[in-house]
């Protein structure tokens, strides 16, 4: 095989990570903040080139999945890619029969949230505050070491308190600033609960 038959198998495995060259897709409104999810610095990701997991050093922005599936939200079973003419770099480079080109760009020149917001934008300040308060690397390191985080000495309660504070911050961003619910994952990244559960497999029932 040496030609894409547009079967959609790769689209069903997840959306692409965006690169600087994809910025125009957002500024032109082809892809919107509600279509995106940010993975923040400190979140562990799998590097398929090195076949290893490592923590991100900065933002990685991806197109969201559809519902509870892994499938890219722009994939339609009947029509295929709904933005095919404007698909992002990784989608243009992906050849399932030869992955060398996409491996070349993996996590290079990636797009970050701040690339999409003008200097001095109020939203930058709010994101900075969020990133300072909810440093995911610290949370995961505390879990790894089994040490309590926060003011108390109860390990699980400390994690739950951070999860609750994260939810409250997001609720306030919606009610006080007017950010759409569907844009929270772009501006603030995946929530702490989701990351902790995904990365450490911890049950945090009752934490919300
Ligand atoms: S790159 Fe491969 S898996 Fe993806 S749509 Fe084309 S043929 Fe299918
Ligand atoms: S943007 Fe289009 S080509 Fe790329 S993963 Fe999504 S559906 Fe597939």
């Amino acid at each position: 095989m040496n030609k894409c038959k547009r079967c959609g198998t790769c689209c069903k495995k997840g959306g692409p990570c965006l690169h600087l060259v994809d910025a125009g897709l957002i500024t032109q409104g082809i892809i919107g903040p509600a279509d995106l999810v940010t993975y923040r610095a400190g979140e562990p990701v799998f590097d398929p080139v090195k076949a290893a997991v490592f923590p991100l050093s900065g933002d990685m922005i991806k197109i969201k999945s559809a519902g509870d599936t892994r499938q890219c939200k722009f994939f339609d079973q009947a029509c295929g890619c709904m933005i095919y003419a404007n698909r992002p770099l990784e989608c243009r480079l992906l050849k399932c029969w030869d992955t060398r080109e996409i491996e070349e760009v993996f996590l290079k020149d990636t797009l970050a949230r701040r690339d999409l917001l003008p200097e001095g934008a109020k939203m930058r300040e709010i994101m900075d505050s969020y990133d300072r308060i909810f440093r995911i690397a610290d949370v995961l390191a505390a879990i790894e070491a089994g040490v309590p985080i926060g003011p108390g000495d109860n390990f699980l309660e400390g994690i739950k308190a951070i999860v609750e504070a994260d939810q409250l911050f997001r609720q306030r961003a919606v009610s006080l600033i007017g950010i759409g619910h569907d844009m929270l994952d772009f501006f603030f990244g995946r929530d702490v609960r989701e990351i902790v559960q995904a990365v450490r497999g911890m049950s945090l029932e009752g934490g919300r």
Side-chain angles (χ1 to χ4, degrees):
M1 185 167 130
N2 60 6
K3 192 169 183 290
C4 177
K5 53 186 181 177
R6 296 180 64 176
C7 65
T9 300
C10 51
C11 310
K12 290 177 187 169
K13 292 179 179 169
C17 164
L18 300 187
H19 297 255
L20 289 172
V21 293
D22 298 316
L25 300 176
I26 293 140
T27 53
Q28 292 166 45
I30 294 161
I31 298 172
D35 300 318
L36 301 171
V37 54
T38 301
Y39 289 64
R40 294 187 298 133
E43 287 193 49
V45 293
F46 181 70
D47 179 343
V49 181
K50 296 183 180 137
V53 174
F54 72 99
L56 286 172
S57 57
D59 283 358
M60 179 177 85
I61 298 175
K62 289 190 72 166
I63 292 183
K64 282 179 183 170
S65 299
D68 291 332
T69 71
R70 287 177 62 197
Q71 180 174 303
C72 173
K73 71 173 286 185
F74 286 116
F75 182 73
D76 178 84
Q77 193 60 45
C79 310
C81 176
M82 293 186 284
I83 56 166
Y84 189 77
N86 294 297
R87 63 200 189 286
L89 176 71
E90 290 194 356
C91 306
R92 286 183 275 122
L93 292 181
L94 179 60
K95 300 178 178 79
C96 59
W97 61 95
D98 180 355
T99 56
R100 281 174 293 182
E101 279 186 76
I102 194 161
E103 286 175 5
E104 271 294 306
V105 303
F106 181 70
L107 282 183
K108 286 185 191 146
D109 299 324
T110 49
L111 194 62
R113 290 166 291 172
R114 287 163 185 81
D115 295 324
L116 299 166
L117 293 167
E119 286 290 340
K122 187 74 188 160
M123 200 56 216
R124 276 178 174 245
E125 281 177 40
I126 297 166
M127 290 188 324
D128 288 345
S129 300
Y130 180 86
D131 287 346
R132 269 196 306 275
I133 299 167
F134 302 101
R135 285 174 48 84
I136 204 64
D138 292 351
V139 175
L140 295 177
I143 293 172
E144 185 71 34
V147 296
I149 192 166
D153 57 6
N154 183 299
F155 174 72
L156 194 54
E157 289 308 315
I159 301 295
K160 285 182 177 178
I162 289 178
V163 167
E164 284 176 2
D166 175 32
Q167 294 299 317
L168 188 60
F169 190 107
R170 288 164 189 261
Q171 284 163 16
R172 287 190 172 154
V174 171
S175 60
L176 300 179
I177 309 166
I179 297 173
H181 273 286
D182 53 3
M183 296 182 188
L184 292 172
D185 284 350
F186 167 70
F187 286 117
F188 304 124
R190 300 195 299 162
D191 68 28
V192 176
R193 169 193 290 266
E194 182 184 345
I195 298 167
V196 168
Q197 287 184 332
V199 176
R200 298 289 180 243
M202 285 181 69
S203 173
L204 296 167
E205 289 308 312
R208 202 174 283 221

